[in-house]
């Protein structure tokens, strides 16, 4: 059977892979999965094709007797929160997150606000490919789509319940917000207003073409924004991805910090704030600095396969969960919801700074310093798998994490070697506390790779 769902929903270029025809059929399959009488909330981000896809999906849903409510333009975590607290059986978000502007996507959310598990995606795919859709009889077709008003305000108020509003207000912070011309502007600006935070907005107008920067927040895409953070003397800056579930922070010195670094200081803050230890879930691609930094606070790190949906579902089962994150800036605070949430992360960062005398740059300087290296080697998947096996054997006396490729943990250094899930390459990520250590480790691993390829 072919697959529709990738690691994060159905994705494709609008009117090339992601056509109205596909959206309509998927709407029918999703409606058949939830069943007649189910109540679903639908929303979209700013992307081209969003409105077109929304109407096609809604048509499919209505024909299966599903009741549809429309939340309008919303960040993904905002739709998820409204599904969770509302009386909904689930929902559909139309977004391609951080992908280039020509892409759009469709993801299905369960009644708890979390993306449906893999098994449920498979079930929808089976209904889709086997044509087992269940249109209802003519008089049971739902003939109305209701508005779901105030989704953004409900979501922002939900965030405020978890933070010390007055403490933040008293500080009168000044920050730079860069929502990449997409829906993050709707929630972050309202949040800032309610917290007495002065904001300078960069790329703040909604624009489907993403004219300001690419929708993925990275060191290079946030370069100009980082300059602005420095020039306006802001306390910090934050850049969201296209659907505002990921937040990347820029400190007062204009340095862009990757998500595992901001997660480290946020996890420590949450452990202190909630006065408990607990577990933190993250993908194997995150830095081991998180373990080193959080160990003294009794926080345990659980390493997972890369991918936020699996991380969220594992967190749901853990009563001792503190939080979860991805190194790309997706941070999950379960007290609010078990999903990546850009505005919640921003609110936590503001609260953290409100209980600190130090600047954000000083807090980042306190983290263990590692030199990173990221590279990839073109290689057939079967060779990549052989390389992983050879490395497991070669380093069997060391601490290994083998849930997704192999991550070798050494004193003051680590290296992750994994076959890509989307292209024929072997991905390598490594970090060490010195250039020499980094070079030694990478050279050692590369010699094992060469041995395997020569065989
Ligand atoms: Mg996203």
């Amino acid at each position: 059977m072919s697959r529709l769902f990738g690691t994060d929903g159905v994705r494709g270029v609008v009117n090339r892979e992601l056509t109205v025809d596909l959206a309509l059929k998927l709407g029918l399959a999703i409606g058949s999965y939830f069943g007649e009488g189910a109540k679903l909330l639908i929303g979209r981000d700013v992307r081209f094709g969003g409105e077109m896809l929304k109407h096609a999906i809604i048509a499919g849903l209505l024909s299966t007797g599903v009741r549809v409510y429309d939340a309008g333009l919303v960040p993904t975590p905002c739709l998820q929160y409204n599904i969770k607290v509302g009386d909904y059986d689930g929902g559909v978000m139309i977004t391609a997150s951080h992908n280039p502007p020509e892409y759009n996507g469709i993801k299905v959310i369960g009644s708890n606000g979390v993306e449906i598990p893999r098994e449920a995606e498979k079930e929808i795919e089976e209904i889709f490919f086997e044509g087992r859709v269940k249109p209802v009889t003519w008089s049971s077709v739902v003939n109305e789509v209701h508005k779901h008003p105030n989704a953004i305000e409900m979501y922002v108020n939900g965030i405020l319940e978890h933070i010390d509003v007055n403490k933040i207000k008293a500080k009168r912070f000044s920050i730079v917000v860069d929502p990449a011309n997409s829906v993050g502007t709707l929630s972050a600006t309202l949040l800032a207003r309610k917290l007495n935070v002065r904001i300078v907005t960069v790329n703040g107008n909604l624009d489907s073409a993403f004219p300001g920067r690419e929708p993925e927040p990275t060191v290079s895409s946030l370069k100009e924004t980082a300059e602005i953070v420095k020039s306006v003397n802001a306390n910090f800056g934050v850049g969201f991805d296209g659907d505002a579930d990921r937040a990347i922070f820029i400190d007062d010195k204009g340095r862009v910090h990757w998500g595992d670094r901001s997660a480290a200081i946020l996890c420590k803050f949450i452990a202190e704030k909630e006065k408990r230890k607990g577990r933190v879930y993250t993908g194997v691609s995150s830095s081991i600095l998180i373990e080193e930094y959080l160990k003294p606070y009794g926080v345990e790190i659980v390493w997972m396969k890369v991918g936020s949906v699996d991380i969220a579902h594992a967190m749901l089962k853990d009563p001792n969960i503190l939080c979860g994150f991805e190194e790309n800036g997706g941070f999950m605070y379960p007290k609010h919801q078990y999903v990546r949430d850009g505005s919640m992360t921003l609110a936590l960062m503001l609260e953290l700074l409100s209980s600190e005398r130090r600047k954000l740059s000083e807090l980042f300087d306190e983290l263990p310093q590692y030199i990173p290296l990221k590279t990839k080697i073109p290689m057939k998947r079967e060779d990549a798998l052989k390389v992983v096996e050879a490395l497991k054997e070669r380093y069997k006396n060391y601490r290994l994490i083998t849930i997704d490729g192999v991550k070798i943990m050494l004193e003051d250094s680590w290296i992750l070697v994994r076959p890509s899930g989307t292209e024929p390459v072997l991905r390598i990520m490594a970090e060490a506390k010195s250039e020499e250590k980094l070079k030694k480790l990478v050279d050692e691993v590369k010699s094992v790779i060469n041995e395997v390829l020569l065989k």
Side-chain angles (χ1 to χ4, degrees):
M1 191 191 73
S2 313
R3 299 278 342 242
L4 280 175
F5 291 91
T7 44
D8 223 335
V10 181
R11 295 269 174 95
V13 172
V14 172
N15 271 1
R16 196 175 72 190
E17 299 89 25
L18 203 52
T19 59
V20 271
D21 186 50
L22 181 109
L24 175 67
K25 285 182 186 152
L26 191 57
L28 268 158
I30 295 167
S32 307
Y33 168 78
F34 281 98
E36 185 180 352
K39 196 177 154 190
L40 299 191
L41 185 63
I42 193 164
R44 68 170 178 97
D45 70 10
V46 75
R47 283 172 183 275
F48 282 119
E51 194 66 12
M52 171 188 88
L53 295 167
K54 186 175 84 178
H55 287 285
I57 294 165
I58 289 176
L61 293 173
L62 294 177
S63 79
T64 56
V66 166
R67 291 175 293 157
V68 182
Y69 290 73
D70 187 355
L73 271 179
V74 284
T76 298
C78 170
L79 186 89
Q80 293 176 301
Y81 180 78
N82 278 270
I83 290 170
K84 188 187 93 164
V85 299
D87 172 29
Y88 290 102
D89 298 296
V92 178
M93 181 70 195
I94 299 160
T95 176
S97 182
H98 60 281
N99 287 161
E102 63 271 26
Y103 282 80
N104 213 324
I106 298 162
K107 60 175 172 179
V108 186
I109 316 293
S111 62
N112 57 0
V114 180
E115 289 87 348
I116 54 168
R118 301 290 173 211
E119 311 84 71
E121 285 180 347
K122 271 209 187 102
E123 215 173 304
I124 292 174
E125 282 172 337
E126 277 169 26
I127 297 171
F128 181 96
F129 288 111
E130 292 166 15
R132 288 195 281 112
V133 292
K134 298 177 200 148
V136 289
T137 177
W138 62 275
S139 57
S140 301
V141 171
V142 178
N143 218 12
E144 200 175 356
V145 176
H146 300 273
K147 282 263 171 294
H148 172 98
N150 303 325
I152 305 269
E153 180 133 29
M154 291 262 293
Y155 165 61
V156 169
N157 288 343
I159 291 172
L160 296 178
E161 280 172 27
H162 300 289
I163 53 168
D164 192 334
V165 173
N166 290 330
K167 204 166 168 186
I168 298 172
K169 273 186 171 174
K171 290 276 187 168
R172 304 197 69 89
F173 287 120
S174 152
I175 66 170
V176 173
V177 174
D178 179 349
N181 298 106
S182 193
V183 285
T185 199
L186 304 170
S187 50
T189 50
L190 179 62
L191 179 74
R193 173 146 49 88
K194 294 200 179 210
L195 291 171
N196 255 351
V197 172
R198 175 177 171 265
I199 50 170
V200 172
T201 318
V202 181
N203 305 320
N205 56 314
L206 293 174
D207 191 325
S208 313
F210 296 96
R213 65 163 168 91
E214 59 172 293
E216 177 153 36
T218 62
V219 174
S220 62
S221 73
L222 291 173
K223 209 171 157 220
E224 285 177 333
T225 310
E227 286 300 319
I228 296 167
V229 172
K230 264 194 303 184
S231 67
V232 301
N233 278 324
N235 293 98
F236 65 88
V238 62
F240 297 116
D241 72 332
D243 63 334
D245 56 354
R246 283 161 55 178
I248 290 287
F249 290 93
I250 304 162
D251 71 22
D252 45 283
K253 288 184 174 169
R255 295 178 301 184
V256 179
H257 295 273
W258 207 226
D260 40 11
R261 296 174 54 79
S262 48
I265 58 176
L266 286 171
C267 291
K268 175 185 161 227
F269 171 66
I270 291 166
E272 284 169 349
K273 166 184 160 90
E274 297 182 5
K275 297 185 181 64
R276 65 194 184 93
K277 292 167 180 167
R279 276 187 283 275
V280 169
Y281 284 62
T282 190
V284 283
S285 52
S286 294
S287 171
I288 56 168
L289 79 84
I290 186 90
E291 271 191 350
E292 190 180 335
Y293 186 64
L294 293 176
K295 207 186 229 167
Y297 306 94
V299 174
E300 188 193 330
I301 307 298
V302 181
W303 297 100
M304 297 278 307
K305 199 169 171 342
V306 174
S308 73
V309 178
D310 296 317
I311 294 177
H313 283 277
M315 287 167 60
L316 277 165
K317 293 184 196 123
D318 190 340
N320 202 16
I321 185 70
L322 201 60
C323 50
F325 72 92
E326 287 183 303
E327 97 288 355
N328 61 19
F331 190 83
M332 313 183 217
Y333 184 53
K335 286 250 153 85
H336 180 54
Q337 52 180 349
Y338 285 76
V339 299
R340 295 171 298 183
D341 192 331
S343 289
M344 183 73 239
T345 313
L346 169 59
L348 285 166
M349 191 58 94
L350 286 164
E351 191 184 23
L352 177 158
L353 272 192
S354 73
S355 41
E356 268 289 340
R357 290 221 174 107
R358 289 170 296 176
K359 294 177 173 175
L360 189 55
S361 57
E362 294 174 84
L363 296 178
F364 276 119
D365 284 340
E366 201 185 84
L367 291 176
Q369 299 296 320
Y370 281 90
I371 302 156
L373 178 141
K374 217 176 192 177
T375 183
K376 57 184 179 183
I377 305 174
M379 192 180 298
K380 282 187 290 190
R381 189 173 165 83
E382 53 186 89
D383 286 335
L385 291 170
K386 275 186 210 158
V387 166
V388 169
E389 287 311 310
L391 286 169
K392 280 186 198 166
E393 180 57 30
R394 165 75 175 74
Y395 290 93
K396 64 182 177 201
N397 297 327
Y398 293 85
R399 184 175 161 214
L400 301 180
I401 298 173
T402 57
I403 32 185
D404 193 353
V406 59
K407 184 172 188 171
I408 305 157
M409 315 276 254
L410 305 166
E411 187 79 15
D412 292 343
S413 64
W414 63 273
I415 186 162
L416 170 68
V417 181
R418 57 185 273 263
S420 161
T422 52
E423 45 181 333
V425 298
L426 184 73
R427 292 193 189 285
I428 299 178
M429 285 174 86
E431 279 189 339
K433 286 197 172 164
S434 70
E435 292 279 1
E436 302 81 69
K437 270 196 177 157
L438 187 61
K439 189 174 178 313
K440 188 167 165 270
L441 177 62
V442 173
D443 286 349
E444 257 180 45
V445 165
K446 279 192 172 161
S447 76
V448 176
I449 294 172
N450 289 333
E451 269 171 42
V452 172
L453 295 182
L454 284 173
K455 266 184 198 165

